[in-house]
Amino acid sequence: MDLKALGSAILFPIQMVYFIIKASLSVILPTRLRDLSGEVVLITGGGRGIGRHLAKEFAKQGAKKVILWGRTEKCLKETSEEIALLGKECHYFVCDVGNREEVYQQAKVVREKVGDVTILVNNAAVVHGKSLIDSDDDALLKTQHINTLGQFWTTKAFLPRMLELQNGHVVCINSVLSLSSIPGAIDYCTSKASSFAFMESLMLGLLDCPGVGTTTVLPFHTNTEMFQGMRVRFPNLFPPLKPETVARRTVEAVRTNTAILYLPWTMHALVILKSFIPQQALEEIHRFSGSYTCMNTFKGRT
C-alpha cells in the first residue's frame, strides 16, 4: 500500500465521524437557508394536490418565478391565479411528462418564454390501484411512463443548463412505498422504487458538480384525492400527512440541501426494521397495521 492510499485509509474513519457529528448538529442548530429570490422553479403535476401546495410554498418562500406543468389546463390555470395573488410571477404549460417529445418541446418553449429553470420538482404521478392480475396493461404502462420515465425526460431537458450555470436542484416527490410496498398498488410501488434508484444514482453522479444538488422526498400516505379511499387500521396512530406539510418540508429540504427527507421522521424506523426483521415478522406488521388491505377501499384519481 502506497502512502497516499494509507493516508486515505486513515482519514476515512475520521471523515465518517465528522459527517455524523455534523449531521447531528444540523438537527439542533439553525442551518443557513438557500436564498430563492433568483430561482426559477418548475413543478410537474403542479395543478393540484401536493403540486399545487408546492407551487404556493415556493412562492411564499421567495422564488422569483414558478412554472407549472400538468395535463389539465383548468387546474393549472387555477393554481397559477393563486400564485399571482401572492404577488409572484407564474406561468403554466400543458405537458404530459410521460410523452418524451412533448417534454423536450415544452422545455424549449419554457427556456424561450420564461428563462432557465434552476429548480426542477418532479412531482407528477398516477396510481392505478389494482392488483397485477386485475390491471389493464395500458394502465400499467401509463404509470411507468409518468412516474418513472417522465423524470428521465424532464431531468435530461433541464439538468445540462443547471450544470453550465453551476446552479440547480432536482427534486423528486417520491413515496415511502418505494421502500415498503403494499398490495393493490403494484404499478405505483414499482414505479416509485425505480424512481428512488434513479434519484440515488443521480445524486451520486452529481457529487463533483458544484452548485447542483438533489432532494428525494419520501412521504407517508398524504391526504389528497390521488389516494382517496385508502384506509389504514389505526388512523389516529398513523394519520395521513397534510399536503401543506409535505410542501413546506420539501421547500425547507431544498433550501438546506437535504438529500433525502422522510415524512414523518418515524419512517426512518421502517428502513431500519426491514434491514434485520425476518420476513414473517414483516408480514405480520403489514397485517396488524392494515397496510395489507388498505387499498381494498381505494377509489382515488388515476
Side-chain angles (χ1 to χ4, degrees), residues 171-183:
V171 184
C172 170
I173 306 300
N174 202 292
S175 169
V176 73
L177 295 181
S178 66
L179 304 177
S180 181
S181 300
I182 58 173

Side-chain angles (χ1 to χ4, degrees), residues 3 15 20-21 26 30 34 49 68 89 106 110 116 141 170 188 194-195 210 253 265 296:
L3 290 177
Q15 289 177 314
I20 291 171
I21 294 174
S26 67
R34 174 179 183 162
L68 309 173
E89 183 178 341
Q106 290 291 48
V110 166
D116 293 318
L141 283 171
V170 179
Y188 185 81
S194 299
S195 172
W265 67 270
N296 289 356

Side-chain angles (χ1 to χ4, degrees), residues 54 171 173 215 217 245-254 261:
L54 280 166
V171 184
I173 306 300
T215 294
V217 184
T245 301
V246 176
R248 176 177 54 80
R249 293 293 307 279
T250 297
V251 177
E252 289 172 355
V254 171
L261 174 65

Side-chain angles (χ1 to χ4, degrees), residues 91 143 245 272:
H91 305 262
T143 303
T245 301
I272 297 171

Side-chain angles (χ1 to χ4, degrees), residues 55-289:
K56 292 164 68 175
E57 192 62 37
F58 271 107
K60 289 177 183 176
Q61 295 202 32
K64 182 181 179 181
K65 299 177 185 178
V66 177
I67 304 166
L68 309 173
W69 274 12
R71 294 179 295 157
T72 308
E73 185 171 8
K74 179 177 179 291
C75 296
L76 293 171
K77 184 178 180 181
E78 289 173 354
T79 304
S80 179
E81 289 171 350
E82 290 183 23
I83 302 302
L85 291 175
L86 296 172
K88 291 293 179 179
E89 183 178 341
C90 185
H91 305 262
Y92 68 88
F93 302 86
V94 175
C95 182
D96 178 2
V97 298
N99 185 320
R100 181 182 56 188
E101 290 76 15
E102 191 172 330
V103 167
Y104 292 159
Q105 177 59 38
Q106 290 291 48
K108 182 179 178 182
V109 173
V110 166
R111 282 190 292 269
E112 293 172 349
K113 292 188 175 181
V114 186
D116 293 318
V117 171
T118 54
I119 298 178
L120 169 65
V121 184
N122 285 312
N123 166 71
V126 295
V127 57
H128 190 42
K130 293 184 179 180
S131 67
L132 176 63
I133 304 303
D134 294 332
S135 295
D136 175 77
D137 289 355
D138 289 335
L140 291 174
L141 283 171
K142 176 183 176 181
T143 303
Q144 307 313 311
H145 280 297
I146 293 176
N147 296 13
T148 305
L149 289 175
Q151 292 187 78
F152 282 73
W153 316 143
T154 57
T155 305
K156 283 194 71 177
F158 296 109
L159 181 60
R161 184 56 177 159
M162 294 181 188
L163 294 172
E164 288 179 15
L165 296 171
Q166 294 190 356
N167 177 38
H169 208 94
V170 179
V171 184
C172 170
I173 306 300
N174 202 292
S175 169
V176 73
L177 295 181
S178 66
L179 304 177
S180 181
S181 300
I182 58 173
I186 194 167
D187 61 323
Y188 185 81
C189 296
T190 302
S191 68
K192 289 300 184 181
S194 299
S195 172
F196 183 80
F198 169 81
M199 286 299 293
E200 189 169 38
S201 180
L202 182 67
M203 174 187 68
L204 294 173
L206 294 173
L207 286 179
D208 294 324
C209 301
V212 182
T214 66
T215 294
T216 302
V217 184
L218 299 164
F220 180 62
H221 168 44
T222 306
N223 189 18
T224 65
E225 62 178 0
M226 184 175 176
F227 274 95
Q228 185 179 359
M230 180 182 174
R231 295 285 183 270
V232 293
R233 186 177 180 185
F234 303 107
N236 292 328
L237 185 60
F238 303 107
L241 293 166
K242 295 179 180 179
E244 301 95 316
T245 301
V246 176
R248 176 177 54 80
R249 293 293 307 279
T250 297
V251 177
E252 289 172 355
V254 171
R255 298 188 69 186
T256 56
N257 198 30
T258 300
I260 299 178
L261 174 65
Y262 295 92
L263 292 175
W265 67 270
T266 50
M267 290 299 105
H268 283 90
L270 179 65
V271 179
I272 297 171
L273 286 172
K274 287 199 70 174
S275 67
F276 69 88
I277 282 187
Q279 181 60 32
Q280 286 184 320
L282 286 171
E283 291 169 2
E284 286 306 313
I285 290 174
H286 276 290
R287 288 190 173 92
F288 178 76
S289 66

